[in-house]
Amino acid sequence: MSNVVVLDNGGGLIKAGQGGERDPAVVIPNCLYRPLTSKKFLHPSTTTEEDLTSAAIRRPIDRGYLINPDLQRDIWSHLFNSLLHVSPSSSSLLLTEPLFSLPSIQRSTDELIFEDFGFNSLFVADSPSLVHLYESSRRPDSLLSEAQCSLVVDCGFSFTHVAPVFQNCTLNYGVKRIDLGGKALTNYLKELVSYRSINVMDETFLMDDVKEKLCFVSLDVETDLQIARKQGKDNLFRCTYVLPDGVTHKKGYVEDPEAAQRHLRASPSAAMEPNKEAYQLETIAKTEERKRVDLTKNEFDLMNERFLVPEMIFQPADLGMNEAGLAECIVRAVNACHPYLRPVLYQSIILTGGSTLFPRFAERLQKDLRPLVPNEYQVKITTQNDPILDVWRGGSLLASSPNFESTCVTKAEYEEHGSARCRRRFFH
């Protein structure tokens, strides 16, 4: 069996390594970046210590699909030669690809793999089927494994998919998509902070860090909005993010991480109790603070932005978007499947993708989903240990299976039959 390279080529991150391993050897951004101190675009590395403030970014993938094959070739060449140190001519490749990829994009991808890099063979898989494979192997006694059926909710970088999986095959007719992902959430956070505090529209890496460290999902938006209006210590959501100064620290950080987590420990009823004395003291303090404004302050405060940004996934219509929320998408996906599968799908919901890492994501989804599901069905949501890497782990598991080589398309078959005919083997 030849060497198998497993490549989870996401719009935000590339996860790559050898088939059969537990974790990927390399996790890097799928982009080139140009810092202010450089005149050319640089390749990302696993240990980037550069100042990425206002860095320009070029991505080969937009809205989940490959739009710049030349740029992707450049990034993959750096990945295979400098980071993984593999020889494509003596290796097979297992590649993840988004659902409903266009034939023209598939042809461009196959040309990169077989003609530019010269891989021996190729297997193309989608994320939901790999997540299902990994979870069923991790929990062999679960309903998911016994029924070989699950509903994968993939909240990725470019968009969110709700995909039914049956016997390791994604049921394409039941897949529903929301055109919202991690990138859209970061852009919305940029707009909110730029409108209320300082201009951060060019700070993609910085605002990604703010989103990952400070944002969370609200279980009661109306109550949390009232808390966010409070003054002083009664406002459990107020926290400060310090921007990099390029001298003492090149990366931003949360000023008081302990205070930023207060909302997770406090009860909603206690948070809503008024404290008149604290309010009066805070009003006096704010009046004094206004008299001595520090124009050199290199930080900004976050309040209701922390939960309004992830709220996009659950209520996109509130922001004027013509999209269904996540809970409604799940119901539509399940109803598109055979009635016999519906009870199993509701009990086998798997959350994957970086956006599911927001605190309280699963609890909020359960709360929104339960009123929409018939009473005779149970709803069980499973969160993965590492939703960013578990797609790759499923690919690694598949690549180490005994019959993997027989399911691949070889370079000779590609040269003889072309891309379109070879792609029929992958059922999507």
Side-chain angles (χ1 to χ4, degrees):
M1 183 174 176
S2 67
N3 178 42
V4 181
V5 177
V6 180
L7 178 60
D8 181 11
N9 196 57
L13 292 174
I14 291 179
K15 287 77 69 176
Q18 304 291 336
E21 296 293 328
R22 173 72 172 80
D23 291 319
V26 176
V27 180
I28 57 172
N30 192 5
C31 65
L32 298 182
Y33 67 93
R34 187 185 65 202
L36 290 176
T37 56
S38 175
K39 293 184 179 180
K40 63 178 182 178
F41 281 87
L42 306 176
H43 288 283
S45 64
T46 53
T47 56
T48 300
E49 294 296 333
E50 277 195 85
D51 183 6
L52 298 178
T53 305
S54 300
I57 300 174
R58 293 178 62 201
R59 298 188 189 275
I61 293 178
D62 184 42
R63 301 188 184 185
Y65 299 115
L66 181 67
I67 60 169
N68 193 335
D70 294 333
L71 181 57
Q72 190 68 84
R73 183 195 304 113
D74 191 6
I75 295 172
W76 281 359
S77 179
H78 173 72
L79 172 70
F80 297 141
N81 298 328
S82 303
L83 300 178
L84 287 180
H85 305 290
V86 297
S87 173
S89 58
S90 58
S91 304
S92 299
L93 179 67
L94 188 153
L95 176 70
T96 62
E97 194 173 64
L99 294 165
F100 310 124
S101 186
L102 299 173
S104 58
I105 297 176
Q106 293 176 349
R107 281 196 301 272
S108 298
T109 304
D110 292 346
E111 287 173 9
L112 280 176
I113 292 166
F114 286 120
E115 297 178 19
D116 293 339
F117 291 102
F119 275 95
N120 260 344
S121 57
L122 168 69
F123 185 89
V124 178
D126 54 65
S127 298
S129 61
L130 295 181
V131 169
H132 173 86
L133 176 64
Y134 179 71
E135 282 298 314
S136 58
S137 68
R138 194 168 68 92
R139 298 185 288 125
D141 298 328
S142 65
L143 175 66
L144 178 151
S145 180
E146 293 175 358
Q148 282 298 300
C149 181
S150 66
L151 187 73
V152 178
V153 179
D154 184 2
C155 298
F157 179 78
S158 302
F159 35 51
T160 298
H161 277 127
V162 179
V165 180
F166 183 64
Q167 294 185 345
N168 283 345
C169 290
T170 302
L171 305 180
N172 285 346
Y173 59 83
V175 175
K176 303 300 176 185
R177 187 174 93 176
I178 307 174
D179 289 322
L180 283 171
K183 183 180 179 181
L185 300 186
T186 301
N187 289 340
Y188 183 47
L189 181 59
K190 283 183 191 177
E191 292 179 8
L192 291 178
V193 174
S194 297
Y195 179 74
R196 298 178 180 181
S197 301
I198 59 175
N199 184 12
V200 291
M201 293 304 292
D202 295 331
E203 307 294 346
T204 300
F205 287 114
L206 190 71
M207 297 313 292
D208 272 337
D209 186 57
V210 174
K211 179 188 71 175
E212 292 164 10
K213 290 180 178 176
L214 295 177
C215 287
F216 65 94
V217 174
S218 170
L219 298 180
D220 187 346
V221 178
E222 292 298 326
T223 301
D224 287 347
L225 281 172
Q226 293 181 40
I227 297 173
R229 294 190 188 103
K230 290 180 176 292
Q231 306 294 330
K233 294 182 179 179
D234 288 338
N235 188 341
L236 300 178
F237 306 135
R238 182 191 295 274
C239 62
T240 302
Y241 189 86
V242 182
L243 299 169
D245 59 9
V247 181
T248 57
H249 53 277
K250 295 184 178 181
K251 293 185 177 181
Y253 62 92
V254 180
E255 187 175 63
D256 188 351
E258 188 70 20
Q261 302 301 318
R262 285 183 301 165
H263 65 282
L264 296 176
R265 298 187 296 270
S267 64
S269 58
M272 288 301 296
E273 291 177 3
N275 188 337
K276 294 182 180 179
E277 184 179 351
Y279 177 78
Q280 291 172 353
L281 292 174
E282 180 63 20
T283 303
I284 297 171
K286 285 194 76 175
T287 305
E288 293 296 322
E289 187 180 351
R290 287 191 188 119
K291 295 178 181 177
R292 51 177 193 276
V293 177
D294 183 6
L295 297 177
T296 63
K297 194 157 84 169
N298 205 28
E299 61 190 31
F300 59 83
D301 290 336
L302 288 174
M303 287 179 284
N304 59 14
E305 300 94 338
R306 298 180 63 188
F307 58 86
L308 288 180
V309 169
E311 187 68 17
M312 287 179 70
I313 297 176
F314 298 94
Q315 298 291 342
D318 289 352
L319 299 169
M321 301 185 67
N322 188 22
E323 298 272 354
L326 184 57
E328 187 178 347
C329 256
I330 289 175
V331 173
R332 290 182 181 181
V334 173
N335 288 342
C337 298
H338 195 281
Y340 289 170
L341 293 180
R342 292 173 190 172
V344 184
L345 290 172
Y346 279 126
Q347 290 187 66
S348 307
I349 299 174
I350 306 172
L351 300 182
T352 189
S355 296
T356 63
L357 287 170
F358 289 122
R360 297 175 174 171
F361 190 99
E363 293 90 327
R364 171 62 186 277
L365 182 58
Q366 179 90 21
K367 179 184 176 184
D368 287 1
L369 191 58
R370 185 63 266 182
L372 303 178
V373 177
N375 292 331
E376 61 268 23
Y377 295 156
Q378 296 182 20
V379 176
K380 184 178 180 182
I381 299 174
T382 302
T383 56
Q384 293 190 295
N385 292 335
D386 193 337
I388 294 177
L389 299 184
D390 283 353
V391 172
W392 186 92
R393 288 170 179 159
S396 178
L397 194 66
L398 178 61
S400 60
S401 60
N403 60 344
F404 173 74
E405 287 290 334
S406 62
T407 61
C408 294
V409 169
T410 65
K411 187 177 181 181
E413 290 173 328
Y414 168 78
E415 291 172 346
E416 181 179 355
H417 302 296
S419 173
R421 184 170 175 182
C422 291
R423 284 282 178 153
R424 295 176 190 171
R425 187 174 299 184
F426 307 131
F427 300 106
H428 51 76

